[in-house]
Amino acid sequence: MTTASAAPTPDPQPPEVAEVTTIACVGIGTIGGGWAAYFLSRGYRVQAWDPSPEAGDRVRALIDAAWPALTQLGLAEGADPHAISIHTDLAEALDGAQFVQESAPEVLEMKQQLLADIDAHAAPGVIIASSTSGYSMTEMAVDAATPERLVVGHPFNPPYLIPLVEVVGGEQTSPAAVDWVSAWYEHLGKSVITMDHEVPGFIANRLQEALWREALHMVDNGEATVEQIDRSITDGPGLRWPLQGPMLTFHLAGGPGGMAHMLDHFGPSLKSPWTRLEAPELTEELRGAVVAGCDDEADGRTVPELVAQRDQAIIAVRQVIEQLRRGSAA
């Protein structure tokens, strides 16, 4: 976590995580709406703000679509998919909220103003987390009066299913606020990475962006189709990553000698032209090829159908992994 040594502790103190009952979701698009669905599934009341007149219908549809998957994973006692109110007045949405999750579009100036407005209206001591996918809290909190309570809580789509949340503070964020947010997400059942330093794109986005850029290069150069690229992951290394990740996967590739042997044996290949980390120019031709490839791979399946299949796959993988982990612990 990047924090200034003089960053004050939020005063008054935030509530105990177990005492939180009401959450404000500021911005309820795909990510914010996914957060709202997840918070509802854990038994909380949600007060949501969004300036769009269609926001209420949009988030209602998202919650209804997510609820069967959340039910399959297990609902908290008292979970109610209708325990949500939609507001166009920010102060009204924040009134009584004991935690705030901001999920506005990725526009820096918008984030800066919105976080300052949230900070001005949220009750003292209430921690404010941002779902930003790349901005640092240091650059987002420049206009906030009490930046010590502003923290990044970066989820992964869909946040109602993917357990990972990356937490990191800014230069003026209080270490106590970072600790509180990490404990809060863990209390919700999330898998939390509390980062020691601000890094553009955090950890997981940097890794998946590297793979994404190489995939675009391969399509652009005619080296692979969209479907070939996806199958190379889903039927290859992707099957190993849910449980052990890329680093431990390579550790096992080294045999009894582990990662040390892996690095000694395959180290020279790091100089081989196996990847191009610079992003290719996103030309109309490349864009068209990628879009057409996705349409071909979808093979007539609609986005809702693909989402439903994805959700079922994630649930199945998570349940099997949890069984394996429980067996290892036992």
Side-chain angles (χ1 to χ4, degrees), residues 102-115:
E102 173 272 316
S103 306
E106 289 291 287
V107 179
L108 181 57
E109 294 77 11
M110 179 188 297
K111 294 275 196 187
Q112 291 169 336
Q113 183 61 59
L114 184 56
L115 287 171

Side-chain angles (χ1 to χ4, degrees), residues 50-120:
D50 197 290
S52 170
E54 294 83 26
D57 291 339
R58 188 175 61 232
V59 76
R60 181 74 264 155
L62 192 155
I63 292 168
D64 290 345
W67 206 254
L70 288 165
T71 301
Q72 190 173 348
L73 283 174
L75 300 174
E77 183 178 354
D80 181 357
H82 301 287
I84 182 173
S85 56
I86 311 298
H87 307 266
T88 55
D89 182 275
L90 182 60
E92 186 179 85
L94 295 170
D95 185 26
Q98 297 154 293
F99 172 71
V100 182
Q101 186 77 44
E102 173 272 316
S103 306
E106 289 291 287
V107 179
L108 181 57
E109 294 77 11
M110 179 188 297
K111 294 275 196 187
Q112 291 169 336
Q113 183 61 59
L114 184 56
L115 287 171
D117 291 342
I118 296 171
D119 184 43

Side-chain angles (χ1 to χ4, degrees), residues 72-305:
Q72 190 173 348
L73 283 174
L75 300 174
E77 183 178 354
D80 181 357
H82 301 287
I84 182 173
S85 56
I86 311 298
H87 307 266
T88 55
D89 182 275
L90 182 60
E92 186 179 85
L94 295 170
D95 185 26
Q98 297 154 293
F99 172 71
V100 182
Q101 186 77 44
E102 173 272 316
S103 306
E106 289 291 287
V107 179
L108 181 57
E109 294 77 11
M110 179 188 297
K111 294 275 196 187
Q112 291 169 336
Q113 183 61 59
L114 184 56
L115 287 171
D117 291 342
I118 296 171
D119 184 43
H121 291 291
V126 170
I127 303 298
I128 302 163
S130 174
S131 300
T132 179
S133 11
Y135 294 128
S136 71
M137 186 50 73
T138 295
E139 59 187 336
M140 290 192 298
V142 292
D143 295 325
T146 54
E148 59 269 17
R149 63 172 172 166
L150 270 59
V151 187
V152 167
H154 171 234
F156 271 77
N157 189 41
Y160 60 87
L161 283 186
I162 303 296
L164 180 65
V165 181
E166 295 171 313
V167 173
V168 63
E171 291 177 358
Q172 298 185 74
T173 303
S174 164
V178 174
D179 291 343
W180 190 95
V181 169
S182 295
W184 159 250
Y185 287 132
E186 289 174 352
H187 178 72
L188 292 178
K190 289 292 188 178
S191 174
V192 180
I193 294 176
T194 305
M195 297 177 62
D196 295 324
H197 304 283
E198 289 184 298
V199 178
F202 315 113
I203 298 172
N205 269 353
R206 291 178 72 93
L207 293 173
Q208 69 175 3
E209 179 70 12
L211 192 153
W212 166 240
R213 291 184 182 187
E214 184 62 29
L216 289 178
H217 274 298
M218 298 188 81
V219 173
D220 197 30
N221 293 335
E223 298 164 347
T225 67
V226 168
E227 183 180 5
Q228 287 171 339
I229 288 168
D230 278 352
R231 285 182 56 200
S232 76
I233 298 300
T234 60
D235 297 356
L239 292 173
R240 301 180 299 202
W241 289 347
L243 184 63
Q244 298 175 329
M247 298 300 284
L248 196 56
T249 293
F250 280 128
H251 173 67
L252 299 184
M259 181 63 81
H261 178 73
M262 173 69 184
L263 291 173
D264 292 342
H265 187 70
F266 292 100
S269 69
L270 294 176
K271 299 295 184 179
S272 300
W274 286 2
T275 183
R276 295 151 292 207
L277 289 180
E278 289 295 325
E281 183 70 25
L282 190 57
T283 62
E284 285 298 321
E285 291 76 13
L286 175 56
R287 183 186 182 281
V290 173
V291 171
C294 288
D295 288 341
D296 290 343
E297 189 176 354
D299 194 24
R301 290 171 294 175
T302 66
V303 169
E305 289 171 340

Side-chain angles (χ1 to χ4, degrees), residues 9-22:
T9 298
D11 188 21
Q13 296 295 303
E16 295 294 328
V17 294
E19 296 176 357
V20 174
T21 60
T22 305

